[in-house]
Amino acid sequence: MDSHALAMSVYSVLPEIVVVATALFILFLDVVLPEENRRVLCWVSFFGVAIALFCVFALGPARIDGFSGMLSRDGLGAFFDMVILTACALTLLMATGYSEWEGTHKGEFYSLLLLSTSGMMIMAKGTDLMTVFLGLETMSIPIYVLVGFHRGRLSSIEGAFKYFLLGAFASGFFLYGIALIYAAAGTTKIPVLATMLYDPRLAESPLFLAGVGLLLVGFAFKVSLVPFHMWTPDAYEGAPTVVTAFMAAAVKAAAFAALIRVLLTALPGMQPVLWKVLWVLAVLTMTVGNLSALWQDNLKRLLAYSSIAHAGYILVGLVSGDLLGGQASLFYLLVYAFMNLGAFGVIILLAQKEDDGYDIRHLAGVGFRYPALGALLTLFLVSLAGIPPTAGFVGKFYLFSAAVKSGYIGLAVIGVLNSAASVYYYLRIVVFMYMTPAAADAPVPRPPRTAFSLALCVAAAAVLILGILPRDLLALAERSVLSILM
């Protein structure tokens, strides 16, 4: 590699370098800072993420290939850099208060969060299956540790153990799939695979089909598609709630970024077979996620099953397999990050501590006793349910419209019915807040810190503004998908 190619390679991963450098600096600060000044770690992490976000915008929309075509900073990669870094920044703002209440003002907590973020960004930009795998592992290993960060809580250890065990199996499936694809095609580069699949002998090769199947299993685990979703409720319930919010928003976005690139770039030639499989997965995921959420009284488990259902909605856009479907999926992933982080943020304030306060009955009377928190949680839940004029409604409208325009009318109808069913469990929470009298000894919410309040306000503003004025973001999503199709 000559000096110019090396410079361009470094240039293509400049935001990732900033994030990793910040993670290492946090570890250094953790050693030298006295215990009473540990809250500085959260702010240093936040400013590192803010600088990385600035680098994403400063690099502009131009395509930059790096590391001999193993990684590409194109429109899609830039879009997901924005989604992932925004989710990380909001998580860190909420962590300012959470860490004080739960004792996670530790260097390793923030460092692991940042290292996982760097893995997500690499995963979103990977143009070689091996790069995607490296990003996947860089993302996953810190998350396994973060899920079990509260070592004194049995549910945290249980969630981390299940997540790690099933995650290791999924990584094995993913890597074995790559090996079979390489054995059949002789390459793991995504653009090269796209051109080779015009040869029907490769597209119909049992070895190649087995490799693609195993690859999909790995992706299905990371985005919680049925029947590979079993880890999700336990991991979400056991993890520190601020980590749960980060997982639901950023991890899902990164895994879908890689899946979108593989499906739209490398495998469009397999559409007749592959899209039938995705159709079934989308229906199962939406239905099982929503039906399971109907019976949950624990708010974290309810939102976990809800996140499974939302993975099904996003898959509806991908089943369409065209520009409109990809655009709708990208838009919904960003919107989902805002409404999900917002909902978890309010729940963190309402709960007294981990393992206590996440029962839905604890919300009785919250709407009138604490009108600001009640209104914010109602807004995020209404958006998750897909009720206008919120961003969630616009996102679902475009997802189901893409399915109808591609001829998948049955899938769109099933999606709408599932969305209608989800209204029950989202509005059930609202009913508890406004129509159930509070107990005499009802707990008092935690007083929000300024940064925490700022995170909630940003999320609420995004949900409202993108619900009324979605055009600019939809145009950006369209350009991002076009950057990998042209």
Side-chain angles (χ1 to χ4, degrees):
M1 186 182 293
D2 58 29
S3 58
H4 177 71
L6 180 62
M8 294 308 290
S9 297
V10 172
Y11 201 49
S12 68
V13 292
L14 188 58
E16 285 88 341
I17 291 173
V18 172
V19 172
V20 173
T22 306
L24 298 178
F25 185 55
I26 288 291
L27 289 178
F28 169 73
L29 283 180
D30 190 44
V31 175
V32 299
L33 278 176
E35 185 70 30
E36 61 270 20
N37 292 335
R38 291 289 171 83
R39 65 177 58 188
V40 173
L41 298 174
C42 188
W43 284 109
V44 173
S45 305
F46 176 78
F47 284 115
V49 171
I51 293 170
L53 199 53
F54 174 77
C55 291
V56 171
F57 288 107
L59 288 172
R63 181 187 179 98
I64 307 170
D65 292 322
F67 304 99
S68 305
M70 299 283 284
L71 184 144
S72 178
R73 193 233 176 243
D74 51 17
L76 188 74
F79 184 90
F80 277 104
D81 274 357
M82 184 182 71
V83 176
I84 293 163
L85 288 171
T86 301
C88 184
L90 291 178
T91 304
L92 287 167
L93 285 177
M94 292 196 293
T96 52
Y98 181 86
S99 294
E100 189 177 324
W101 300 319
E102 298 292 340
T104 55
H105 269 318
K106 296 176 180 172
E108 59 267 33
F109 181 83
Y110 301 110
S111 189
L112 288 168
L113 206 64
L114 293 172
L115 289 174
S116 179
T117 300
S118 69
M120 296 175 197
M121 295 164 73
I122 291 171
M123 198 175 168
K125 293 179 185 171
T127 49
D128 189 290
L129 293 176
M130 289 308 299
T131 311
V132 174
F133 178 73
L134 288 175
L136 178 73
E137 291 304 293
T138 308
M139 172 188 80
S140 299
I141 293 170
I143 292 291
Y144 298 149
V145 181
L146 285 171
V147 170
F149 203 79
H150 288 312
R151 288 176 294 177
R153 288 174 51 226
L154 186 60
S155 61
S156 188
I157 296 170
E158 179 188 352
F161 184 70
K162 286 181 179 175
Y163 190 28
F164 168 73
L165 201 61
L166 294 174
F169 277 116
S171 296
F173 282 123
F174 193 89
L175 196 57
Y176 195 44
I178 294 174
L180 292 181
I181 289 173
Y182 182 79
T187 183
T188 54
K189 291 186 182 300
I190 292 172
V192 179
L193 282 171
T195 58
M196 294 180 72
L197 278 174
Y198 287 107
D199 183 352
R201 289 174 298 178
L202 177 63
E204 296 170 2
S205 162
L207 196 62
F208 186 79
L209 291 175
V212 171
L214 292 175
L215 203 65
L216 282 180
V217 169
F219 278 124
F221 175 85
K222 290 301 173 188
V223 299
S224 303
L225 297 182
V226 174
F228 308 102
H229 66 292
M230 298 298 186
W231 60 274
T232 310
D234 292 326
Y236 276 34
E237 186 182 7
T241 309
V242 75
V243 174
T244 309
F246 181 66
M247 289 169 67
V251 172
K252 194 180 289 293
F256 264 111
L259 182 60
I260 289 170
R261 190 182 291 279
V262 171
L263 288 179
L264 296 185
T265 308
L267 305 176
M270 299 182 66
Q271 189 162 350
V273 178
L274 191 57
W275 265 240
K276 289 178 184 173
V277 176
L278 295 179
W279 192 98
V280 174
L281 286 177
V283 171
L284 285 175
T285 304
M286 286 187 291
T287 308
V288 172
N290 280 318
L291 290 180
S292 303
L294 290 174
W295 313 107
Q296 301 302 319
D297 287 332
N298 182 293
L299 291 168
K300 288 176 80 174
R301 292 187 76 85
L302 187 150
L303 289 178
Y305 282 112
S306 153
S307 82
I308 294 169
H310 281 274
Y313 300 142
I314 297 165
L315 202 58
V316 169
L318 297 187
V319 171
S320 305
D322 57 7
L323 174 62
L324 192 59
Q327 174 199 27
S329 297
L330 262 61
F331 178 85
Y332 199 76
L333 279 164
L334 179 60
V335 165
Y336 179 71
F338 283 120
M339 43 194 193
N340 205 54
L341 282 165
F344 272 111
V346 178
I347 288 170
I348 288 173
L349 292 179
L350 293 173
Q352 289 304 293
K353 58 181 181 180
E354 293 290 352
D355 277 340
D356 187 24
Y358 290 111
D359 192 292
I360 192 171
R361 286 176 283 272
H362 290 177
L363 296 180
V366 162
F368 292 111
R369 285 186 296 136
Y370 309 103
L373 290 178
L376 279 173
L377 187 54
T378 302
L379 172 67
F380 295 128
L381 294 173
V382 163
S383 186
L384 283 165
I387 297 173
T390 59
F393 167 75
V394 177
K396 285 183 181 176
F397 174 79
Y398 278 97
L399 284 171
F400 299 146
S401 296
V404 170
K405 288 179 181 176
S406 299
Y408 295 103
I409 297 172
L411 182 60
V413 170
I414 294 170
V416 171
L417 291 175
N418 266 283
S419 190
S422 73
V423 172
Y424 170 78
Y425 60 79
Y426 288 127
L427 293 189
R428 182 170 167 241
I429 299 174
V430 178
V431 167
F432 265 98
M433 288 196 296
Y434 288 99
M435 299 182 186
T436 306
D441 57 344
V444 178
R446 292 155 158 166
R449 301 291 180 266
T450 304
F452 204 115
S453 302
L454 178 64
L456 292 181
C457 289
V458 169
V463 167
L464 283 174
I465 292 171
L466 293 177
I468 299 168
L469 301 169
R471 181 178 297 177
D472 289 342
L473 184 61
L474 283 166
L476 177 62
E478 183 181 11
R479 290 195 297 274
S480 302
V481 177
L482 278 173
S483 72
I484 62 170
L485 295 179
M486 296 179 67

